[in-house]
């Protein structure tokens, strides 16, 4: 302020005159203040100025007696106190702006501006106007909070107590399109968290219940809406309280912290304890490790521009002492926030998730506690939207609901790591591998999104679970990972043909890309292990409730019984076609090299009679051609073919030429001798096929339990149908679903469908529920 215009020297106390001089030359009394023109205006200037199109929408107010304009510099983004509008003390006539005392000192105390002429507003008028306005504002704010009530948001069992977004908004008593921030409070039980919120936001009204009793009066999480600051205020249950669900309640605190924009940590201790730093450090680590991903997913679902998880909330440590000095008082050169960061480092905690950490202390020599400093600090942080933006209340509810759905359920105390406030067990899946005992590393309830269990370490083999998985070696070398399943038959074989091949050459390993890559008894001797030749072995984890590791040869016996039952049913109900087909195939498999294959024999080689499906084809042991029964009814020894001195079946032509020695080389005789061994061994198999219907009942009854696959529920445990709950009796038979292994009645499991994942490539019995599943079973 220049010497010429000092109010102390001249005692100036001018009236409010027009500051525009647009139509009146500055001689008329001011009637309006235009916020965007930054000036006081008379009637004529206001009318002429705002008649222009570009100025028509300016915000203007009519002046009241004793009016003092605002400082123009404080109102802008470059003001020295953002969000706080100071009253002007002077007006610079050259710059044509109103200035408060701070802005006048800052901008006009040096240089040429120091000599600018100024008009001084009467200081007493300013003070009176300020006091009157503050009283009006305080009364208005108190009135706004008179009807505010709190409600239970989440109970002590982590159950949300509002049904949906509309219910949440109704209980908050705010508008659906209102943009809010969330302020929550934490601290030990009995430190006055509810009392702090009541005096900081609601002028001492008991919006959140307080009590002098020993028991904690806040159980669960309570919420209320502050219409003055436009924030959702959340009160939480205290730490270190007596509770039986400590794990669940501690996890609940982190969910509240995750949806908050500002967190108050209230402590009433004379000195800051390590628990405070450990709590905030562990909360920061758990927030980054477990909550960031879920908050990003919620952001995507809600369509927000600014992710909820960009940074965690800001933290204010509100420290009230009685007998000790506040932090930093004995170290004037160091700010309290630096001392707090040093404490975090010494304890090995790093609160990286929080956007900022502030210290606000108050020393209470005589009650009541002064909360004005905390209120001012909160208001300044709430004005800052650079890291956390306000959002609709529906988004706040969605975030809390998403976290509650994901991180819920019982926490196993026997595996708990109590060295942390928020151990990983609070947030990770509780499933443990049955084979190696390692826990799943994914977050809780990940199965709802179709994410399978995973572990950090490899599993070990267990004979009890046979947790080996085979992959095709040829596909692996081509860069593909294709699982293969040992089974009784190839997918291209019919059930009865597959049964015959299984009985003859053992189980088969079939790759979807490479076809059949292995048969366990492909040769009479020298069969190699598939692991050494065609497949790779991996040991997989065995998780409770899953059965993926049981897709191997463990149920081959039941598949054999199913095939035998199907074959017996076909023989008895349809025709002898399946038996004939199996007989023909077996004959070709074990026949000597000089025999004509059954598939090529369409008619008798002598009488030319065509063979029908049920007709029997006979091979002459001498020439190897195919004949009907009447044309090959004679027998004689054929030692030159390796049949020895015993008479064997020959055709009529070879019988009549029995004195003629066949021209068989020694090499051929040796080769035929080897194949005849197979033929003679196969005679017994072939002869039993005709009696399959009558002989099959007894073996089935004896071996049914032994053949039960490991994933099937034992018969003695099945008392009711798994679907309709009918009680089983002698008249109501039990049936196993080949897909899930549960027991059903015939009505609930009459569908037939292939189950390739279990080794059934042909339609087998499945239950009503499995049949509804899309894709391959």
């Amino acid at each position: 302020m220049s010497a010429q215009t000092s109010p102390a020297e001249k005692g100036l106390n001018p009236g409010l005159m027009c500051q525009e001089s647009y139509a009146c030359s500055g001689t008329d009394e001011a009637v309006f203040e235009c916020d965007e023109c930054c000036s006081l205006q008379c009637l004529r200037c206001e009318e002429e100025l705002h008649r222009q199109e570009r100025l028509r929408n300016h915000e203007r107010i009519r002046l009241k007696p004793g009016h003092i304009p605002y400082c123009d510099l404080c109102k802008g983004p470059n003001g020295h106190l953002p969000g706080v509008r100071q009253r002007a003390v002077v007006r610079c006539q050259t710059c044509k702006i109103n200035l408060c005392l701070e802005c006048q000192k800052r901008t006009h105390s040096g240089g040429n501006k120091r000599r600018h002429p100024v008009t001084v507003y009467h200081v007493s008028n300013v003070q009176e106007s300020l006091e009157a306005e503050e009283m009006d504002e305080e009364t208005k704010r108190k009135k706004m909070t008179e009807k505010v009530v709190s409600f239970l948001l989440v109970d002590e069992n982590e159950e949300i107590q509002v049904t949906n977004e509309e219910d949440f908004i109704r209980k908050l008593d705010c508008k659906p399109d209102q943009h809010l921030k969330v302020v929550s409070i934490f601290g030990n039980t009995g430190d006055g968290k509810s009392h702090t919120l009541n005096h900081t936001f609601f002028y001492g009204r008991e919006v959140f219940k307080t009590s002098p009793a020993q028991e904690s009066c806040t159980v669960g999480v309570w919420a209320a809406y502050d219409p003055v600051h436009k924030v959702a205020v959340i009160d939480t249950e205290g730490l270190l309280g007596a509770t039986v669900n400590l794990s669940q309640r501690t996890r609940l605190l982190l969910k509240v912290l995750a949806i908050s924009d500002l967190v108050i940590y209230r402590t009433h201790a004379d000195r800051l304890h390590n628990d405070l730093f450990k709590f905030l450090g562990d909360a920061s680590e758990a927030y980054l490790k477990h909550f960031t991903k879920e908050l990003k997913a919620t952001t995507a679902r809600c369509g927000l521009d600014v992710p909820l998880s960009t940074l965690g909330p800001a933290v204010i440590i509100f420290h009230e002492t009685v007998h000790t000095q506040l932090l930093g008082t004995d170290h004037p050169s160091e700010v309290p926030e630096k001392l707090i960061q040093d404490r975090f480092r010494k304890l090995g905690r790093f609160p990286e998730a929080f956007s900022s950490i502030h210290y606000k202390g108050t020393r209470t020599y005589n009650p009541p506690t002064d909360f004005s400093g905390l209120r001012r600090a909160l208001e300044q942080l709430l004005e800052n939207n650079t890291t956390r933006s306000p959002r609709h209340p529906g988004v706040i509810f969605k975030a809390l609901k998403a976290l509650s759905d994901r991180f819920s359920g019982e926490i196993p105390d026997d595996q708990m790591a109590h060295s942390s406030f928020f151990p990983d067990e609070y947030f990770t899946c509780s499933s443990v591998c049955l084979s190696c005992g390692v826990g799943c590393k994914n977050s809780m309830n990940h199965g709802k999104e179709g994410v399978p269990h995973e572990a950090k370490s490899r599993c070990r083999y267990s004979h009890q679970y046979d947790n080996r998985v085979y992959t095709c070696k040829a596909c692996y070398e081509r860069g593909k990972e294709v699982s293969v399943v040992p089974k009784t038959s190839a997918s291209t074989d019919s059930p009865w043909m597959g049964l015959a091949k299984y009985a003859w050459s053992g189980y088969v390993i079939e790759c979807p890309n490479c076809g059949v890559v292995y048969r366990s008894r492909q040769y009479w001797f020298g069969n190699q292990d598939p692991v050494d030749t065609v497949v790779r072995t991996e040991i997989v984890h065995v998780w409770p409730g899953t059965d993926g590791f049981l897709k191997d040869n463990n149920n081959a016996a039941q598949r054999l019984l199913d095939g035998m039952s199907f074959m017996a049913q076909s023989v008895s109900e349809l025709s002898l076609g399946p038996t004939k087909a199996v007989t023909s195939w077996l004959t070709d498999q074990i026949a000597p090299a000089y025999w004509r294959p059954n598939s090529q024999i369409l008619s008798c080689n002598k009488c030319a009679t065509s063979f029908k499906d049920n007709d029997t084809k006979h091979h002459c042991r001498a020439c190897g051609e195919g004949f009907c029964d009447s044309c090959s009814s004679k027998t004689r020894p054929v030692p030159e073919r390796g049949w020895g001195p015993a008479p064997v079946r020959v055709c009529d032509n070879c019988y009549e030429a029995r004195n003629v020695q066949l021209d068989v080389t020694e090499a051929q005789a040796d080769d035929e001798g080897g194949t005849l061994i197979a033929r003679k061994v196969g005679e017994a198999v072939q002869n039993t096929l005709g009696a399959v219907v009558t002989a099959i009942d007894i073996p089935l009854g004896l071996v049914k339990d032994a053949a039960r696959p490991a994933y099937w529920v034992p018969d003695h445990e099945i008392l009711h149908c798994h679907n309709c709950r009918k009680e089983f009796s002698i008249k109501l038979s039990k049936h196993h679903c080949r897909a899930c292994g549960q027991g059903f009645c015939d009505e609930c499991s009459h569908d037939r469908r292939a189950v390739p994942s279990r080794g059934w490539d042909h339609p087998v019995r499945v239950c009503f529920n499995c049949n509804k599943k899309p894709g391959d079973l």
Side-chain angles (χ1 to χ4, degrees), residues 172 190 308 444 554 574 681:
L172 268 185
L308 291 170
M444 286 184 163
N554 285 348
L574 302 176
V681 172

Side-chain angles (χ1 to χ4, degrees), residues 159-183:
E159 295 289 337
I160 297 181
Q161 298 300 298
V162 290
T163 54
N164 49 38
E165 294 178 43
E166 291 73 19
D167 190 28
F168 177 70
I169 295 170
R170 181 181 60 80
K171 288 187 176 181
L172 268 185
D173 195 19
C174 65
K175 296 179 180 178
D177 57 350
Q178 177 71 57
H179 284 73
L180 310 178
K181 285 191 174 184
V182 179
V183 178

Side-chain angles (χ1 to χ4, degrees), residues 59-162:
E59 183 178 347
R60 314 183 285 281
I61 61 171
R62 183 175 287 272
L63 301 185
K64 296 179 181 179
H67 178 81
I68 302 296
Y70 283 112
C71 172
D72 295 324
L73 295 186
C74 288
K75 283 191 280 187
N78 299 320
H80 63 277
L81 284 176
V84 180
R85 304 182 69 184
Q86 300 290 333
R87 293 289 178 177
V89 175
V90 298
R91 176 176 178 82
C92 177
Q93 299 296 342
T94 304
C95 300
K96 293 187 177 181
I97 56 174
N98 299 313
L99 299 170
C100 66
L101 189 60
E102 289 290 332
C103 291
Q104 193 269 339
K105 289 180 181 178
R106 181 165 53 86
T107 60
H108 285 63
S109 60
N112 293 330
K113 288 186 178 183
R114 181 171 175 271
R115 299 184 179 274
H116 286 183
V118 296
T119 300
V120 182
Y121 296 110
H122 200 289
V123 177
S124 62
N125 288 347
V126 173
Q127 189 65 32
E128 290 172 6
S129 176
L130 282 173
E131 289 177 356
E133 187 169 305
E134 285 179 1
M135 288 180 65
D136 291 344
E137 189 70 22
E138 190 81 2
T139 303
K140 188 188 300 181
R141 289 184 174 188
K142 284 184 178 180
K143 192 170 183 179
M144 291 173 67
T145 61
E146 281 180 358
K147 296 182 180 180
V148 176
V149 292
S150 61
F151 64 94
L152 182 62
L153 179 59
V154 187
D155 67 11
E156 64 271 24
N157 297 317
E158 298 183 287
E159 295 289 337
I160 297 181
Q161 298 300 298
V162 290

Side-chain angles (χ1 to χ4, degrees), residues 326-343 345-346 359:
L326 299 175
L327 191 65
T329 304
D330 50 347
H331 297 280
S333 59
E334 293 185 346
V335 294
E337 284 74 13
K338 184 180 182 304
L339 299 176
I340 287 174
Q341 292 294 341
D342 291 340
R343 287 284 297 274
R345 280 193 293 270
K346 288 178 182 178
Y359 175 85

